[in-house]
Amino acid sequence: MRNSIVIHRDENNFATLTFSSTNRKTGPGLAQVHILHRHESPIDAVKSGADVSICGECKYRRLWDELRQKFTRKCYVNLGHAPLAIWKTVRRHPVTGIKKAISRLGTKGVRLGAYGDPGFLPLNLVRTLCAGKRRRTAYTHQWMKISKQFSRYMMASVDTVQERLEAKRLGYRTFRAVSSLDEIQPGELVCPNTTHGVQCDSCGLCYGAGPERDIIVQAHGSGAVYMQIEAV
């Protein structure tokens, strides 16, 4: 039985559900949803700019850096690992019916947007994947453009304190990457994975709108160095 299946396809993108994962932060209890470009591999889509269809105007995409006079990519996702392997393996596979996908998912939680912004998924698909008490994590940079109904299922991924305030006015809880944890604001909580080593599948705080505090995390991965530079 395949570990990854296609659960959505439109003109430009497709989404996959991967049932088992070795991600040490999210843990084995979260299935992973990737949103990928249909016609170009993740690596080629980043180079051509076609990844705008799955990432929108996210500032962590590969963009021209006027200060450094070169293209830089701040996103922490290593495209040569899971995104490329999944794209090569299942992009031509037929879409699996959502009822069958949910049945196979069982009691596992879901991580919406292991790569790609889950704000580009159909709202009905998101509702179905997150129905009941299913544990989930999801972060969207598209919070200013998509239906406010997504706030029930996703955190607004924000880059500044001002963006946080704007997202909260729209009903979102927020997730903010910072160059230093000293930047924490009232009403925010440092990610429990940072403070206590708790995996996402055991935590469940990044589920969307609710009474819990907003989350901050220290920037990590290949893009962290750029955040450190910008903070100086």
Side-chain angles (χ1 to χ4, degrees):
M1 188 176 292
R2 295 192 300 267
N3 187 37
S4 297
I5 59 173
V6 178
I7 56 172
H8 169 72
R9 182 179 284 117
D10 59 33
E11 182 179 354
N12 295 310
N13 308 325
F14 70 103
T16 65
L17 181 63
T18 299
F19 294 96
S20 62
S21 169
T22 58
N23 188 298
R24 288 177 292 178
K25 182 178 186 294
T26 59
L30 291 184
Q32 313 278 316
V33 174
H34 290 75
I35 302 103
L36 302 165
H37 196 276
R38 281 185 64 177
H39 310 296
E40 297 185 34
S41 75
I43 294 172
D44 290 338
V46 163
K47 291 178 180 178
S48 71
D51 65 328
V52 70
S53 72
I54 61 170
C55 297
E57 298 303 324
C58 175
K59 78 171 192 177
Y60 299 110
R61 292 175 57 228
R62 180 179 182 267
L63 299 170
W64 178 253
D65 187 319
E66 192 64 35
L67 178 64
R68 300 173 183 83
Q69 288 294 294
K70 65 178 183 178
F71 283 99
T72 59
R73 179 175 178 266
K74 303 175 185 179
C75 180
Y76 67 90
V77 178
N78 187 324
L79 299 174
H81 290 170
L84 182 60
I86 292 169
W87 187 86
K88 287 181 175 179
T89 303
V90 304
R91 70 187 178 98
R92 299 189 187 279
H93 290 184
V95 175
T96 298
I98 191 60
K99 288 184 179 180
K100 184 176 180 180
I102 291 297
S103 175
R104 185 173 168 193
L105 189 60
T107 60
K108 277 200 170 201
V110 289
R111 178 191 182 196
L112 301 175
Y115 178 60
D117 194 302
F120 287 106
L121 294 172
L123 180 57
N124 284 339
L125 176 62
V126 172
R127 280 197 188 106
T128 304
L129 287 171
C130 299
K133 297 182 179 180
R134 189 180 303 283
R135 184 153 288 179
R136 60 184 177 270
T137 63
Y139 315 92
T140 178
H141 265 104
Q142 306 306 306
W143 52 270
M144 288 181 284
K145 301 178 180 180
I146 59 179
S147 168
K148 293 180 183 179
Q149 295 181 66
F150 279 94
S151 67
R152 179 177 177 182
Y153 309 104
M154 301 177 187
M155 310 284 282
S157 186
V158 299
D159 301 309
T160 65
V161 172
Q162 182 59 38
E163 283 188 0
R164 178 186 175 224
L165 296 176
E166 293 173 6
K168 293 190 76 62
R169 281 195 288 268
L170 294 175
Y172 283 90
R173 290 175 59 234
T174 62
F175 183 90
R176 190 164 66 97
V178 295
S179 58
S180 168
L181 296 180
D182 292 337
E183 298 174 40
I184 191 168
Q185 297 290 307
E188 290 183 321
L189 175 74
V190 177
C191 172
N193 181 262
T194 301
T195 55
H196 297 91
V198 178
Q199 292 179 305
C200 298
D201 60 359
S202 300
C203 175
L205 284 178
C206 292
Y207 66 88
E212 287 82 3
R213 283 182 282 176
D214 300 328
I215 304 297
I216 67 166
V217 66
Q218 187 147 5
H220 58 285
S222 59
V225 63
Y226 295 110
M227 289 199 72
Q228 296 288 348
I229 292 171
E230 290 169 1
V232 173

